[in-house]
Amino acid sequence: MPLPSEALQQSFLALDRMRASELVAVAATELPPLQVIETMVRPALEAIGQLWEQGDCALSQVYMSGRICEELIDGLLVGSASDASRILTPQVAAPRLAIAVLEDYHLLGRQIVRTVLRAGGYEVLDYGRQDVEELLDRVCADRIEILLVSTLMLPSALRTRMLIDGLRRVSPQTRVVVGGAPYRFDDQLWQEVGADAVGLHAGEALTIVNRLTGEAP
Amino acid sequence: MSGTQGLQAGLTSMQRVLTALGHQEPDRVPLFLLAVMQGARELGLSIEDYFARPEQVAEGQLRLRAKYRSDCFYTFYYASIETEAWGGGTIFRKDGPPNAAAPVIHEIADIARLTPPRIEDSPGLLRVLETTRLLAQESRGEVPIVGVVMSPFSLPVMQLGFERYLILMHEHRELFARLMQLNEAFCVAWANAQVAAGANAICYFDPISSSSMVPRALFLETGFQVARRTLARLQAPAAMHFASGRVLPIVDDLAATGAAAVGVSSHEDLGTLKAACRGKISLLGNLNGIAMRRWTPAQAEAAVKAAIAAAGSGGGFVLSDNHGEIPWQVPDTVLLAIADAVERWGRYPLDWCQTA
C-alpha cells in the first residue's frame, strides 16, 4: 500500500481532484492541518517537481497539481480561527520572502514555486513581472531576506547580474535564488550572475529556502 | 547509404538537404545554423530597426549564410509577430529576441467572440512574406528557404498566458476546441502564404506538445490531433520543432503527424532518438544554444563531432541548435568553429565514426 503522500502524488499526476480531496480528508481526521500539509501535501509536490526534472512528468501536471494543492490547503484551513500564513508558518521566525519574474510575461514558474512555498508554510510576497530598477526598490522597501527570481529568456537571466549587483549595494542581506529555463541548459549560469542558489525545479524551493535560512530541510 | 555512394561532390544546399531528409547520405551533413538576430549585427542595426524592413532581413540572411555556410535561409523574425496579427504587442530589446507583450485574450470567455486575423491585414506578416520573396529570387531553388509558424496548439501561450491556457486546456474543452479551430485556420493560411512567397519548408514550432510540457496521453488528445490536421493542409513539408522540449515519450507518434523532421533537445540522447527515428522521420538538432555562449572553438568542434557520430549515419539528420534560434550572445568564433567542424567531420561516408 502506498504511503499517503505517494497516493496523493498519484492523484495529483492524474489530476484527480476527488481522490486527492478524499485522501486529505481522511488524513485530516487524524492529524492537524499543518501536519497533513507537511507530511502529505508538501512531499507530494516536491516529488512531482523531481519527476519533472528527470523528464518523468510534464509541466502541465506540475502546474495543475499546484492548482489542486492550493484548493486543498484552502479547504484544510476553512473554519480555522487563524489565517493561512499564521497556521502554516513554522514556529521559528520566518524569513521575508518575495518572488518575481524578471522582464518576462511568462509567469507560470513563479506560480508553481509560490504554491510549493505556501505548502511549506512560507508566506511569499508576489511581485509579478518586474524590471531591475523597480524590483530593487521593492526589495529594499519590503526588507526582503530571500528573493526568488524566475526568468525564461537568456537575456533576462543575464540581466539578473545587474539586479544582484544592485542588491549587494543597497540590500546586502538579501539572498537571491534563481530559476528558469536558461539555468537548466547552462549549469554555470547561476554562479555567473552571482546568485546564492539555483532551483532547477519547483520542488527544490523549500530545501533551498530552508538552507538559506539555516534550518534543516 | 554507405561507401562511395556518399561521395557526391558539389551538391547544392537544396540537394544536400533533400537527400538527407530522404534518409540517404548526401556529400556531408547539412547544417542549419539558425542565426536570426545576428543579421542586425551584420548590418550594424539595432534588432528593432533590423526587423522593421524586409529587405534588411533578406540582406542579413544572405550575409549570414555567406559567413557561416548554413544550408538554408531562415525567414523567422520573432515569435510574437504572429500575435501582433491578433492585436498583441512586442517588446524589443537590444540583446535578445523580441518578446510577446501582454496576452491579447483577456478572458477565456472572449474566445467565443474571437475571429482569426487576415494575413494581408498584418504588416508584420507582410514583411516576412517580402523577405521570403527576396530570398527566393536570390536562392534560385538552390538553397532551401525555411518559413516558420507557431503551432495552433502552442500559440495560445502568447495569446492567453501560460497559466490561463493550461486552465483552458484542462477545464474548458469546448472553448479550447474553438480556439484550436481558429488557430488552425490562421496557421494554415500563414504557412501557405509563406510557401506561395517562396518558402520550401515550414518549421512548425510546437513546444507545448513536447513531453516536457504535456504528458503523452494529453498530447495524443490535443497537440497531436492539431498537428495532424494542420500539417495535412500545408503546401510544403514541415519540421515539428519543440524548442528544446523533450520528445522521447512521443517519438513514435511524431511520424504520424505528417512531419518530415523533428527538432530535438540537448536534454535527450541523440543516439537514442536516432535509433527511434531512423528511416521514419529526420532529426534536426541538438547543439545546446545556451551553453554555446561559453564554448571554446575546441568545445564547439567536439559538440559537432558528438552529434554527427550519434545521428549522422544513413542521412536523416540536419545539424542545428536545439532551440531553433541561436542566442545573440553566442560569439562569432563559436559559430565559425561549428561551420568548420561540419566541413571537417560531416563529410560522408562517416568512416571516422567507426574507427573513433
Side-chain angles (χ1 to χ4, degrees):
Chain A
M1 191 171 170
L3 292 169
S5 69
E6 289 171 357
L8 188 64
Q9 175 189 327
Q10 292 309 314
S11 69
F12 281 166
L13 290 173
L15 310 186
D16 187 343
R17 277 187 165 86
M18 195 172 290
R19 175 74 179 140
S21 185
E22 284 169 5
L23 288 165
V24 166
V26 168
T29 61
E30 299 174 0
L31 300 169
L34 178 60
Q35 217 169 329
V36 174
I37 292 165
E38 287 198 340
T39 59
M40 279 183 71
V41 179
R42 170 182 161 173
L45 276 184
E46 288 182 312
I48 287 171
Q50 187 65 42
L51 286 175
W52 186 69
E53 170 63 14
Q54 294 162 358
D56 293 328
C57 79
L59 191 62
S60 66
Q61 291 169 299
V62 181
Y63 172 72
M64 294 305 288
S65 298
R67 194 167 154 82
I68 296 169
C69 172
E70 291 274 357
E71 294 167 7
L72 293 177
I73 292 174
D74 288 343
L76 281 168
L77 300 175
V78 165
S80 167
S82 305
D83 64 26
S85 60
R86 281 180 56 199
I87 280 201
L88 291 171
T89 300
Q91 293 307 304
V92 295
R96 294 180 66 80
L97 294 181
I99 189 165
V101 177
L102 192 62
E103 298 186 340
D104 288 329
Y105 276 99
H106 300 278
L107 307 179
L108 189 73
R110 142 218 158 260
Q111 179 56 35
I112 296 169
V113 172
R114 266 188 69 199
T115 301
V116 171
L117 289 172
R118 190 177 178 220
Y122 287 105
E123 192 176 7
V124 187
L125 288 175
D126 183 3
Y127 292 155
R129 181 191 182 278
Q130 293 282 300
D131 295 320
V132 170
E133 291 304 321
E134 190 182 2
L135 186 51
L136 281 172
D137 290 344
R138 294 191 71 166
V139 168
C140 288
D142 292 332
R143 290 174 288 111
I144 296 302
E145 293 166 271
I146 297 176
L147 175 67
L148 299 104
V149 183
S150 171
T151 54
L152 179 72
M153 310 295 285
L154 176 63
S156 308
L158 293 171
R159 191 88 82 229
T160 309
R161 173 87 247 182
M162 191 186 299
L163 169 74
I164 293 173
D165 286 347
L167 284 172
R168 296 294 180 247
R169 286 192 303 274
V170 299
S171 181
Q173 79 284 358
T174 304
R175 305 273 77 87
V176 179
V177 184
V178 294
Y183 302 101
R184 293 169 44 76
F185 285 90
D186 180 350
D187 57 11
Q188 299 170 57
L189 184 57
W190 70 279
Q191 291 165 311
E192 180 184 340
V193 302
D196 296 287
V198 61
L200 297 181
H201 62 84
E204 290 186 324
L206 280 172
T207 305
I208 292 168
V209 168
N210 287 337
R211 190 176 76 230
L212 291 178
T213 52
E215 294 176 33
Chain B
M1 181 183 284
S2 63
T4 54
Q5 284 179 290
L7 295 172
Q8 303 168 45
L11 294 187
T12 65
S13 286
M14 182 70 86
Q15 291 167 326
R16 182 174 298 125
V17 170
L18 288 177
T19 304
L21 294 182
H23 301 278
Q24 296 198 335
E25 295 182 351
D27 56 343
R28 70 158 167 77
V29 171
L31 171 66
F32 280 10
L33 198 65
L34 301 178
V36 176
M37 298 164 280
Q38 287 79 1
R41 191 179 282 148
E42 292 297 318
L43 271 64
L45 297 169
S46 72
I47 291 169
E48 183 169 11
D49 288 345
Y50 175 67
F51 287 124
R53 296 172 64 90
E55 59 274 19
Q56 292 174 169
V57 181
E59 177 63 22
Q61 281 294 305
L62 288 167
R63 291 193 194 186
L64 290 169
R65 181 168 183 271
K67 188 172 183 179
Y68 302 126
R69 292 157 277 162
S70 180
D71 283 305
C72 71
F73 291 125
Y74 191 45
T75 59
F76 181 54
Y77 276 44
Y78 47 87
S80 63
I81 205 159
E82 291 195 18
T83 42
E84 284 177 14
W86 292 80
T90 293
I91 300 168
F92 288 88
R93 58 187 311 154
K94 292 177 181 172
D95 57 356
N99 231 338
V104 292
I105 302 173
H106 301 293
E107 300 293 338
I108 285 174
D110 294 344
I111 293 167
R113 296 181 294 277
L114 201 62
T115 54
R118 298 189 324 152
I119 307 304
E120 53 268 40
D121 294 338
S122 309
L125 303 185
L126 294 177
R127 288 199 299 276
V128 177
L129 294 180
E130 180 58 16
T131 296
T132 309
R133 278 189 283 271
L134 292 168
L135 288 171
Q137 288 167 15
E138 295 288 335
S139 154
R140 301 183 309 280
E142 294 184 355
V143 184
I145 297 172
V146 179
V148 168
V149 295
M150 298 301 117
S151 89
F153 185 59
S154 292
L155 187 65
V157 172
M158 290 188 290
Q159 292 174 306
L160 280 156
F162 208 160
E163 277 187 74
R164 213 179 294 144
Y165 181 40
L166 287 176
I167 293 166
L168 173 77
M169 194 190 301
H170 287 91
E171 299 176 4
H172 303 270
R173 277 297 178 95
E174 282 187 19
L175 286 172
F176 167 77
R178 173 165 167 73
L179 186 59
M180 291 305 103
Q181 193 178 29
L182 299 173
N183 285 357
E184 285 173 33
F186 172 75
C187 181
V188 169
W190 173 221
N192 287 339
Q194 292 180 72
V195 175
N200 304 106
I202 295 295
C203 189
Y204 177 93
F205 272 101
D206 197 11
I208 305 306
S209 280
S210 86
S211 303
S212 303
M213 294 297 158
V214 297
R216 178 172 179 265
L218 183 57
F219 166 68
L220 292 176
E221 285 174 35
T222 56
F224 175 76
Q225 305 296 341
V226 171
R228 199 159 60 166
R229 287 194 299 265
T230 305
L231 299 187
R233 295 165 65 193
L234 303 194
Q235 290 158 357
M240 264 185 105
H241 206 302
F242 297 89
S244 311
R246 297 175 195 262
V247 295
L248 268 173
I250 58 171
V251 73
D252 292 333
D253 305 310
L254 294 177
T257 63
V262 53
V264 294
S265 174
S266 60
H267 278 167
E268 289 183 316
D269 181 71
L270 197 54
T272 306
L273 287 161
K274 178 72 175 188
C277 294
R278 185 182 289 273
K280 291 184 280 192
I281 190 165
S282 295
L283 295 175
L284 177 69
N286 69 345
L287 303 177
N288 183 339
I290 300 289
M292 208 181 274
R293 189 173 62 89
R294 61 171 88 251
W295 282 353
T296 63
Q299 286 173 312
E301 181 177 12
V304 168
K305 274 186 78 174
I308 290 173
S313 75
F317 177 58
V318 177
L319 184 73
S320 187
D321 72 294
N322 69 335
H323 197 78
E325 182 175 21
I326 304 282
W328 174 258
Q329 289 78 9
V330 176
D332 251 8
T333 50
V334 169
L335 299 181
L336 291 167
I338 290 171
D340 290 344
V342 178
E343 284 291 342
R344 183 170 182 195
W345 300 105
R347 290 276 157 195
Y348 286 107
L350 303 174
D351 292 335
W352 64 268
C353 289
Q354 277 85 50
T355 55

